[in-house]
Amino acid sequence: MNIHEYQAKELLERFGVDTPRGHMASTAAEAEKNARELGTNSLVVKAQIHAGGRGKGTFTSGFQGGVHLCKTAGQARDFAAKMLGQTLVTHQTGPEGRLVNQVLVAESVEIEKEFYFAVLMDRATGAPVIVASREGGMDIEHVAETSPEKIIREAVDPAFGLQPYQTRKLARELGFAPSQMRAACKLFASLYRCFSALDCSMVEINPLVLTTGGKVLALDAKFSFDDNALFRHPEIVALRDVAEEDPREVAASKHHLSYIGLDGNIGCMVNGAGLAMATMDIIKHHGGSPANFLDVGGGASEEQVTEAFKILLSDPKVKAILVNIFGGIMKCDVIAHGVLNAVKALKLNIPLVVRLEGTNVEEGRKLLADSNLPIASASDLDDAAVQIVALAPKE
Amino acid sequence: MSVLVGKDTRLCVQGITGKSGAFHTRNCMEYGTNVVAGITPARGGEMFDDKVPVFDTVHEAREQTGCNATMIFVPPEFAADAILEAADAGVELIVCITEGIPVMDMMRAKEMLRRSNSRLIGPNCPGIITPGACKIGIMPGYIHKPGHIGVVSRSGTLTYEAVWQLTSRGHGQSTCIGIGGDPIIGTTTLDAVQLFAADPDTHGIILIGEIGGTAEEEAAAWLKENCDKPVAGFIAGATAPPGRRMGHAGAIISGGQGTAGAKKDALRAAGIAVAETPSTIADTLLAVMK
C-alpha cells in the first residue's frame, strides 16, 4: 500500500521527524490560504499522485510540470488551479496519467547538501537495516551499482532497536559537521521509531537535506507498510487511495485473491503463490506469455473462482485462460463446479485449458468432460502449458 | 529413518477448537499422527472429539502429556505469542501454519527463539510430514509415500506437485518440510538440507525455492562443501516482475542475488541438478540418482 507525499509528511511529523513547513490543499482557495499562513516568499506547489517523476510530467491540459516554485500566495493559487482536477502524465504513470485531487503547498528550502536515508526490513538477517548515502536525490540503485562504496549500511538489533551511538556513527559517516550532529541524530532516531511503531517494511527519505540554515529535513518520503500488520493500524488503512491502484488488484483483494497484472495474453488462475509463479514460468518456457499472476489461495470457494474469472476477463489483453489447481485441501470437484458456473455465467468465448490434480480429481475431470462446454482438460502441468500456448494467439 | 518427526512425535495443537485447527487436527489424526493435547485459552478441561484433552496453556499440556511438538493454528494477531509460549514451555518442535503474521512480531519471536532450545518450522507453511508415520500440517496425506527422498520447499502447492511426481513414479519420501514463504522464518532451506544430509535414510534431496532472499544460495554453498547425496533444485519466479514488493532499497539489499537466474547459477555451481520446468522436478532428481 502506498500513500501520498502530504500523508507521509504528516506521519513523519507525528514522530518528530522534521520536514519543510506546509499543508495539503484540495482547492485553489485553500492553497492560497496555506501559502499566506506560511509567511514566506519561497514557496513550492506539488501535485499529489503516487507516481514519481512529477516535476518533469505534463498535464493532459498541456500545462507543464507537477512541481512549481513561486513567491506569492496568489501565484500558489494559480498553480494549484492549473493542477487540481487535471490529469498528470509522468514516466511512471503510463499514458493514461493520474488525476490530481490534492496539492501540497510548502516552504521551499535552500539546500546545502542532499542525502539518501532508508530504514527497511532485511530478510536475509531477519532484522531492520539502515541504508544511507551522501549521494542523495539520485537514483540510489544506480549509485549502488556504479559506486557501491558510497552506500552505508548499519544493521539494527531486532530486540533493542537503533541505538544512539549508531545514529552518531551514521551522522559522521554521512559527513555531518559536529555542529549538525544533534539535529541529524534526532532525525535518524525519530525515523526509526516511526518505522517500528507503524509496522513499516520500508521508509525511504530521498532526499534528506541539510539546509543552508543548518537544519536537517526530510524533503520527500516513501513508505511501504507490512500488509499483515494493517489490522492494528486503522489510521494507516484510512490513508489508502484506491483511485491510485490497479482496479483489478483492488477487486482481487476484496475477494481475498492475490492478483498482479502483467503484459502477456494468457490469463492464469492457480492455487498457491509458488505454483502460480511456476505456472507463469512454464508458459514462458513453451513460448507463451502470461497476462497475470493470480493466486486463489488454499481454500477457494466456487464464488471466488467466478470472481477470479471476472478479474481475468476484465483485462482486454487476455486471449486464453489456463486454470492450474493442485487440490489438497481444495477438492477438484468443487473447483470444477466453480469453473463450469463461471464459464456459463460469463459466456466465456476464449480458449480455456484446465489442469486438475489432487483430491477428488476423477470426479472433477468427469464434470468438465461431461459438460459439453469447450474446455480442454490437461493431464499434467507440462501438457497444460503446451496446450494453452498452442491455443493462444501469437503476440 | 526420517528427520524431526516420526512415530515418537507427541503432538499438541494450539488453536485446536478453531475451524481450521479442528479440521486439520482430524486429518492429521486420521493419517496416524499421535495428537496428545490441544490448547485453547479458557477452554481447559474440555475434550476434543472425545479423544484429545484441551488445556488452557502449553505449559500444562507439556507437564501432563509430555507433548514434544506443536502445530499452531492461532489467528495471525496472536500467533507470535503462541510461538513464544510453546518455546517457553520447552516444546522441541514448533510448526506454525498461520498465514499473515506481522513481520515485526516474527522478528521479535525469532530473536527469542535463538535463546531457546526449540526449533520453529514456518510460519505461513504447509507443515512437515514423514510419510506413513507422522503428518503435522495441512498437506494432503495421500499424495505421499514412505521412502528415501527428502523434500524442502518454500511453497505449499509446488511441494505437492513435486511430491506427487515422485510418488507417481514409485519413489517415496523420507520427510517433506514446507518451510514457508514469509520474509522471516524459523527453519531455513540451509537448516533443512543439513538435516537431510545427516539422515542416513535420506538418499536424495529436492530443494524447491523462489525468487527473493539468499536462502537457496546459502544452502547450495553448504551442500557443495559438505554433502555427497544427489540433489535437484527448482526455482520459481523466472518470469515474475522485479521490484513489486519492495522499492529501491530492497533491491539494493539483494544486489545481484535473489533473481531466479542467479539462484539457478548458484545451484549449478554447487553441482546441483536444476529442473528447467516445474513438471520435471522429480525426473531431474531421478536422473542424477541412477
Side-chain angles (χ1 to χ4, degrees):
Chain A
M1 195 192 110
N2 291 314
I3 59 174
H4 287 295
E5 180 188 13
Y6 78 91
Q7 296 169 326
K9 182 173 146 60
E10 285 167 14
L11 288 180
L12 291 174
E13 281 165 1
R14 197 190 305 164
F15 285 88
V17 177
D18 293 330
T19 64
R21 295 183 303 129
H23 287 101
M24 181 271 276
S26 44
T27 66
E30 210 181 336
E32 183 180 9
K33 178 170 162 279
N34 289 352
R36 187 156 291 128
E37 282 172 4
L38 286 171
T40 169
N41 58 6
S42 178
L43 293 160
V44 61
V45 182
K46 301 166 98 174
Q48 298 295 291
I49 57 171
H50 284 174
R54 291 172 297 171
K56 288 180 181 146
T58 306
F59 287 87
T60 49
S61 62
F63 182 62
Q64 287 290 323
V67 177
H68 284 275
L69 295 171
C70 60
K71 293 196 184 319
T72 69
Q75 288 169 333
R77 180 197 172 94
D78 292 345
F79 279 126
K82 285 182 177 129
M83 295 181 192
L84 288 166
Q86 301 296 323
T87 300
L88 178 59
V89 179
T90 80
H91 71 275
Q92 284 187 9
T93 61
E96 69 277 12
R98 298 275 173 83
L99 183 65
V100 177
N101 289 314
Q102 296 102 6
V103 294
L104 174 66
V105 181
E107 182 180 21
S108 163
V109 296
E110 265 188 67
I111 297 169
E112 170 90 29
K113 216 176 162 334
E114 294 186 309
F115 308 87
Y116 174 92
F117 197 95
V119 190
L120 66 150
M121 195 58 81
D122 180 3
R123 67 184 291 164
T125 57
V129 62
I130 309 277
V131 176
S133 174
R134 295 185 190 206
E135 306 285 320
M138 317 204 353
D139 179 355
I140 197 69
E141 283 182 10
H142 181 71
V143 176
E145 226 167 76
T146 52
S147 21
E149 74 286 354
K150 288 183 180 162
I151 302 282
I152 299 163
R153 282 158 209 244
E154 183 74 18
V156 180
D157 187 292
F160 301 107
L162 185 69
Q163 297 299 301
Y165 80 86
Q166 293 182 293
T167 65
R168 296 193 295 273
K169 199 170 137 200
L170 282 162
R172 290 299 293 148
E173 281 176 316
L174 285 169
F176 283 96
S179 63
Q180 299 148 357
M181 269 186 67
R182 188 184 292 271
C185 292
K186 173 178 169 275
L187 187 142
F188 301 160
S190 304
L191 189 67
Y192 184 79
R193 263 205 325 278
C194 174
F195 169 84
S196 175
L198 297 181
D199 279 289
C200 299
S201 42
M202 178 178 73
V203 186
E204 185 183 52
I205 308 292
N206 194 19
L208 172 78
V209 301
L210 174 65
T211 68
T212 47
K215 282 188 191 160
V216 183
L217 302 176
L219 213 58
D220 200 358
K222 192 174 167 194
F223 278 79
S224 299
F225 299 100
D226 176 7
D227 291 344
N228 289 349
L230 287 176
F231 70 84
R232 60 188 174 207
H233 298 292
E235 80 283 15
I236 304 292
V237 176
L239 300 179
R240 186 171 176 191
D241 185 352
V242 291
E244 290 276 348
E245 297 175 29
D246 181 337
R248 286 188 293 272
E249 290 180 23
V250 175
S253 74
K254 208 183 292 172
H255 296 281
H256 305 286
L257 305 166
S258 174
Y259 174 94
I260 294 173
L262 301 167
D263 296 329
N265 63 1
I266 299 175
C268 309
M269 184 193 313
V270 189
N271 65 332
L275 190 59
M277 283 197 284
T279 305
M280 288 157 52
D281 294 346
I282 198 165
I283 288 172
K284 196 100 180 173
H285 179 82
H286 287 293
S289 181
N292 65 280
F293 166 95
L294 174 58
D295 172 12
V296 294
S301 61
E302 277 190 41
E303 183 206 341
Q304 276 178 303
V305 172
T306 307
E307 289 303 325
F309 265 100
K310 279 188 199 162
I311 291 163
L312 291 182
L313 291 172
S314 68
D315 179 352
K317 295 194 302 292
V318 169
K319 301 292 181 230
I321 292 178
L322 173 61
V323 175
N324 180 25
I325 302 289
F326 202 111
I329 301 316
M330 232 178 196
K331 294 186 177 67
C332 290
D333 51 335
V334 174
I335 295 298
H337 275 297
V339 170
L340 292 177
N341 288 345
V343 168
K344 284 180 211 154
L346 302 171
K347 301 191 170 55
L348 188 79
N349 57 2
I350 56 175
L352 170 65
V353 174
V354 179
R355 182 270 178 140
L356 295 174
E357 195 59 78
T359 311
N360 296 354
V361 63
E362 294 309 328
E363 292 95 313
R365 285 184 187 161
K366 190 166 173 344
L367 279 167
L368 295 180
D370 294 350
S371 69
N372 290 323
L373 288 167
I375 302 171
S377 195
S379 57
D380 60 33
L381 182 49
D382 201 59
D383 178 39
V386 169
Q387 284 198 51
I388 198 70
V389 171
L391 288 167
K394 293 285 161 286
E395 292 199 309
Chain B
M1 104 137 249
S2 58
V3 303
L4 298 176
V5 299
K7 284 284 178 207
D8 302 332
T9 300
R10 298 172 60 78
L11 185 68
C12 78
V13 181
Q14 289 168 265
I16 195 169
T17 53
K19 190 176 162 229
S20 49
F23 175 79
H24 292 294
T25 300
R26 287 184 193 115
N27 280 349
C28 291
M29 290 169 76
E30 268 170 37
Y31 194 79
T33 307
N34 185 15
V35 179
V36 298
I39 322 289
T40 300
R43 300 275 293 268
E46 293 180 17
M47 289 296 278
F48 173 79
D49 282 4
D50 299 326
K51 289 180 203 130
V52 182
V54 177
F55 298 88
D56 289 305
T57 68
V58 181
H59 292 79
E60 290 168 283
R62 168 86 168 171
E63 274 162 29
Q64 295 180 37
T65 68
C67 55
N68 55 14
T70 178
M71 171 165 76
I72 297 178
F73 278 99
V74 171
E77 51 270 53
F78 313 115
D81 183 59
I83 293 170
L84 294 180
E85 181 184 358
D88 189 58
V91 178
E92 286 85 349
L93 181 69
I94 304 168
V95 182
C96 185
I97 309 300
T98 306
E99 177 181 354
I101 303 177
V103 179
M104 293 281 179
D105 291 7
M106 271 316 298
M107 176 181 91
R108 291 178 193 118
K110 177 138 187 178
E111 192 55 31
M112 294 294 284
L113 281 168
R114 284 198 185 103
R115 304 177 208 167
S116 78
N117 295 319
S118 301
R119 168 188 292 279
L120 172 68
I121 294 176
N124 188 14
C125 75
I128 175 169
I129 182 169
T130 290
C134 179
K135 162 176 133 84
I136 303 179
I138 60 175
M139 66 290 275
Y142 75 92
I143 62 170
H144 301 80
K145 170 185 156 82
H148 302 286
I149 293 165
V151 180
V152 52
S153 170
R154 273 162 71 178
S155 149
T157 43
L158 192 50
T159 318
Y160 308 163
E161 181 77 45
V163 167
W164 183 239
Q165 287 171 21
L166 286 170
T167 299
S168 356
R169 286 158 178 75
H171 293 266
Q173 305 87 41
S174 53
T175 300
C176 305
I177 311 176
I179 59 172
D182 272 9
I184 299 178
I185 53 173
T187 298
T188 62
T189 309
L190 174 60
D191 297 333
V193 297
Q194 286 176 338
L195 292 166
F196 287 133
D199 173 34
D201 227 44
T202 297
H203 302 164
I205 302 170
I206 286 180
L207 185 169
I208 299 172
E210 287 174 13
I211 49 167
T214 54
E216 294 81 6
E217 287 90 331
E218 284 155 24
W222 185 88
L223 283 166
K224 186 180 183 191
E225 300 300 324
N226 300 285
C227 179
D228 295 332
K229 294 180 182 179
V231 184
F234 175 74
I235 305 291
T239 51
R244 271 303 301 249
R245 280 226 170 263
M246 279 215 179
H248 295 147
I252 291 170
I253 288 298
S254 52
Q257 292 175 307
T259 65
K263 284 180 187 290
K264 287 180 186 173
D265 289 346
L267 295 185
R268 281 194 199 96
I272 296 170
V274 175
E276 277 308 324
T277 77
S279 59
T280 56
I281 298 172
D283 288 335
T284 304
L285 178 70
L286 298 176
V288 289
M289 281 186 79
K290 274 171 192 161

